[in-house]
Amino acid sequence: MRVAYQAGALAALLDAGLTFDHADGTSGGTMNLAMLFSGLSPDQMIERWTTLDPKGFVSFLPLPEYFRLEGPRAFGDADGVLERVFPHLGIDAGRIAAATGMRGTFNVCNFSTKTNRVVAHTEVTSELLVAGISLPILMPPVRVGTDDYVDSVWIQDANLMEAVRQGAEEIWVVWCIGNSPDYRGGPFNQYVHMIELSANGALFAELEAIRALNERIARGDSPFGQSRPIRVCIVKPDDPLPLDPAYFSGTIDARTLAARGYADASRRLQRREAGDALDPTATQMRSLADSVSFRETFRGTWQAGERGAADAACVNTAVEVELAVFVHRLDEFLAQGAPAYVVGRVLLEGSWVWIKQGELSCVSPEQQRYRLWLSHGGADYVLEAERRMVGQTPQELLRDLRAVTLTLRQGESPAAPDVAVCRVELDLSSLKDVARSVRAIEPESVAAGAAAVTRFCGAFFRAAYQRYLKPRRCWLSFWQ
C-alpha cells in the first residue's frame, strides 16, 4: 500500500529531464508501472494514490472458505483490488498491452515451478496484474493456464538483470523495502522481515552480478552490448518507510509518501554521475528507534520583499505550505541541534511545487527555522519559515507560537535578497492540529512510542516554562 513513494520519486526523475527506454516492476511496484503504461503522468499517479481509500484493498473470501478442514488459502481475495483499487488508480490491462514507446516488464512468481516469470507489457492481463501483488497468507494464488502465480517479492523484487539483458547502461532503482538493523516482534513485523531478507538478498546477488559484468565490460567483453560500465542509482529513504498498517490507519498518507519519494529522488539526482556501491550497503537504512513525526501547515499572502513587487510574480498571490516533519534520533535533535527531515509541497502562483529538500533546525531555544529547497518556473528557490520566541508572559507565548514569517529567496545564498515575504498568524485550531499530529514512528512497543512522544513534547514544554512561566511565577511570589 505504501508504494505511493515510488510515484513521487518518478515525478522527480522526470522533472529532472531523465528519459527511460525500459521500465520494470515487481510486487507493489507493478501498480505504479501499470499506471504509467495506462497513460497516467506522475502527477496524476500521485493524485490517484492520494484520493484512494486504503480500505478498498480489503476483501474477504466467501464465508465457507474460512471453515475448510485444511484452512483458508488466504485472509482475503482479490475482489477489492479488481473492483475498487485498480479502477481508481486508472490501471487498465488493455491500455497497458497497447502502449508504445518505452518497453515495460512485469515480474510474477510461477508458484508451480518456483521461478520468476518476466511478462512483457504487451502480454499483460488483469489476472497477471493481480498475481503480481498476491502475497501468500494475505491473498490466494492466481491460476493462469495450468499454473498458480503469486507475488515475486520473495525471489525477485528488483529485476536489474532484465534491464542489463536489454542493454541498459544506467539503471535507476526506486527501493521501498526496509533494510535497517531493527528486529521487531510480532507476527506481522516478522512476516515483513522475511520479505526484507528475501528481497534484499536477491538484489545483492544482482548487484554482485553487475559488478562482475562491469569487469568484463572494462576488458571489452560485453555479452549484452554495453560499451561502458553499468551504473546503478538507488533512490531509497534513509529510514525505513512506515509499514502498511500505518498507511491503512492514516498515521501516514499517500501524499506524504509521495513527498518523501520526490525529496529522496531529488537528493539522489545531485550525484547522478556517481553510481551506488554494488554491495549490501546499497540499501542500508538507519534505525527507527527514538523517532517522532508531526505535520504543520502555513497559509497566507505574499508581500513584496527587498526586490520589490516588480521582481516577484508571486506578490499578492496566495501561499500554502504543507509540511511533514520526521525527527530521528531525538537526542541529536534536542541536545545537539541536528536538523529534522522535512518533506511536503508549496502552493506558488496557483501551482503546487514539491519540496526537493527540507530541514527543521532549532537554531536556539528561542528560534525554530524551516529551510525548504524547491524549483519553480525554471528557477531554484529557498523558502524559510521562522518562528521566534521573544515574549516573557503566558499571553506572549501564544502570540509567539502563532506568528511565523515566510521568506522566499532565489538561489542558495543566505545573502540573496528576499523575493517575497509573508507573515502568517496561525489560529488556535492549527496549533491543536500540530499537537495532535505528533506520533512515534514505528515504535517497538506502545510504551516506547509514548516515551518518545513525551520526550519530544516535554522538551518544548520545559523551554516554554523556563522562558514564559517561571519568570512570571517568581515575580508573583515576590509581589506577594
Side-chain angles (χ1 to χ4, degrees):
M1 297 182 187
R2 54 185 172 153
V3 292
Y5 176 94
Q6 296 176 342
L10 183 59
L13 297 180
L14 298 189
D15 282 353
L18 271 67
T19 56
F20 296 91
D21 301 290
H22 170 232
D24 180 86
T26 311
S27 193
T30 60
M31 289 191 284
N32 284 310
L33 184 62
M35 294 167 76
L36 190 66
F37 274 78
S38 294
L40 278 72
S41 70
D43 285 340
Q44 290 172 325
M45 292 165 62
I46 293 170
E47 186 60 27
R48 295 290 182 109
W49 278 114
T50 300
T51 55
L52 174 68
D53 182 358
K55 296 181 180 62
F57 282 94
V58 178
S59 178
F60 295 104
L61 296 168
L63 190 59
E65 287 289 319
Y66 294 101
F67 297 97
R68 292 171 52 175
L69 290 177
E70 66 272 27
R73 303 182 81 194
F75 284 151
D77 61 25
D79 289 351
V81 171
L82 281 169
E83 296 171 6
R84 296 187 291 274
V85 176
F86 280 1
H88 183 90
L89 294 180
I91 293 174
D92 185 314
R95 295 188 67 183
I96 296 169
T100 58
M102 180 173 62
R103 297 185 302 275
T105 48
F106 295 74
N107 296 283
V108 291
C109 174
N110 185 324
F111 178 81
S112 302
T113 62
K114 308 300 187 292
T115 57
N116 183 70
R117 175 181 168 186
V118 179
V119 181
H121 77 272
T122 53
E123 301 172 359
V124 160
T125 64
S126 295
E127 291 79 12
L128 288 170
L129 288 174
V130 172
I133 58 171
S134 292
L135 283 169
I137 297 180
L138 301 179
M139 290 172 64
V142 176
R143 177 59 60 97
V144 179
T146 59
D147 293 337
D148 284 332
Y149 285 85
V150 296
D151 193 319
S152 246
V153 67
W154 299 99
I155 58 174
Q156 189 77 67
D157 194 46
N159 197 347
L160 276 60
M161 290 306 297
E162 180 63 28
V164 169
R165 283 188 285 271
Q166 297 200 31
E169 294 182 338
E170 181 175 347
I171 301 174
W172 285 79
V173 183
V174 186
W175 190 254
C176 290
I177 298 290
N179 181 13
S180 80
D182 298 333
Y183 190 91
R184 300 298 179 88
F188 180 80
N189 283 322
Q190 292 178 9
Y191 182 82
V192 172
H193 287 335
M194 289 188 282
I195 291 177
E196 292 170 350
L197 289 167
S198 299
N200 281 285
L203 176 67
F204 299 156
E206 291 209 315
L207 294 178
E208 173 58 26
I210 292 173
R211 186 198 63 76
L213 184 59
N214 280 343
E215 293 180 356
R216 294 182 60 182
I217 294 172
R219 297 194 300 266
D221 177 23
S222 174
F224 303 112
Q226 286 89 347
S227 60
R228 57 181 181 177
I230 299 163
R231 180 168 61 237
V232 178
C233 303
I234 297 180
V235 177
K236 67 175 180 67
D238 282 341
D239 313 276
L241 297 176
L243 298 179
D244 288 355
Y247 176 59
F248 191 81
S249 67
T251 302
I252 193 166
D253 59 20
R255 180 166 287 132
T256 302
L257 288 165
R260 287 188 65 170
Y262 194 97
D264 289 341
S266 297
R267 181 181 56 187
R268 184 61 187 83
L269 282 161
Q270 294 175 2
R271 51 185 184 89
R272 178 185 175 185
E273 298 308 314
D276 284 296
L278 301 176
D279 60 37
T281 64
T283 61
Q284 219 163 57
M285 302 175 190
R286 300 174 298 198
S287 170
L288 275 176
D290 225 16
S291 302
V292 299
S293 67
F294 66 92
R295 303 172 186 273
E296 191 156 20
T297 300
F298 308 122
R299 297 181 181 89
T301 303
W302 287 118
Q303 303 300 322
E306 293 179 14
R307 295 186 182 183
D311 297 319
C314 63
V315 168
N316 295 323
T317 64
V319 58
E320 186 168 348
V321 184
E322 295 180 353
L323 303 176
V325 184
F326 299 87
V327 182
H328 300 288
R329 290 156 300 283
L330 280 172
D331 286 337
E332 296 179 17
F333 177 77
L334 297 174
Q336 303 172 28
Y341 175 61
V342 181
V343 300
R345 59 180 190 164
V346 179
L347 182 66
L348 279 179
E349 299 178 42
S351 300
W352 285 105
V353 180
W354 294 103
I355 295 169
K356 299 170 70 173
Q357 180 182 344
E359 62 182 32
L360 168 64
S361 299
C362 289
V363 182
S364 68
E366 291 79 25
Q367 185 179 10
Q368 302 160 23
R369 178 187 298 158
Y370 290 99
R371 295 200 79 203
L372 314 171
W373 287 262
L374 50 132
S375 298
H376 176 62
D380 294 327
Y381 293 90
V382 177
L383 173 60
E384 290 187 355
E386 189 173 70
R387 180 184 277 117
R388 288 179 176 270
M389 317 304 283
V390 296
Q392 295 290 333
T393 68
Q395 292 81 1
E396 291 170 335
L397 167 61
L398 187 59
R399 179 203 65 190
D400 292 347
L401 286 173
R402 295 171 60 190
V404 178
T405 300
L406 306 181
T407 306
L408 185 67
R409 297 188 177 92
Q410 188 169 338
E412 290 281 342
S413 173
D418 304 343
V419 172
V421 295
C422 175
R423 289 173 178 82
V424 178
E425 185 170 338
L426 302 173
D427 55 30
L428 291 178
S429 65
S430 296
L431 295 179
K432 291 178 182 177
D433 289 342
V434 174
R436 282 195 292 259
S437 72
V438 178
R439 296 281 191 279
I441 302 174
E442 298 287 313
E444 291 186 1
S445 64
V446 173
V453 171
T454 300
R455 286 182 57 216
F456 177 73
C457 296
F460 290 95
F461 285 135
R462 284 193 297 274
Y465 172 77
Q466 290 293 330
R467 179 172 188 88
Y468 294 92
L469 302 177
K470 187 175 180 181
R472 182 74 170 173
R473 192 176 72 169
C474 291
W475 182 85
L476 286 172
S477 299
F478 174 78
W479 179 260
Q480 289 170 352

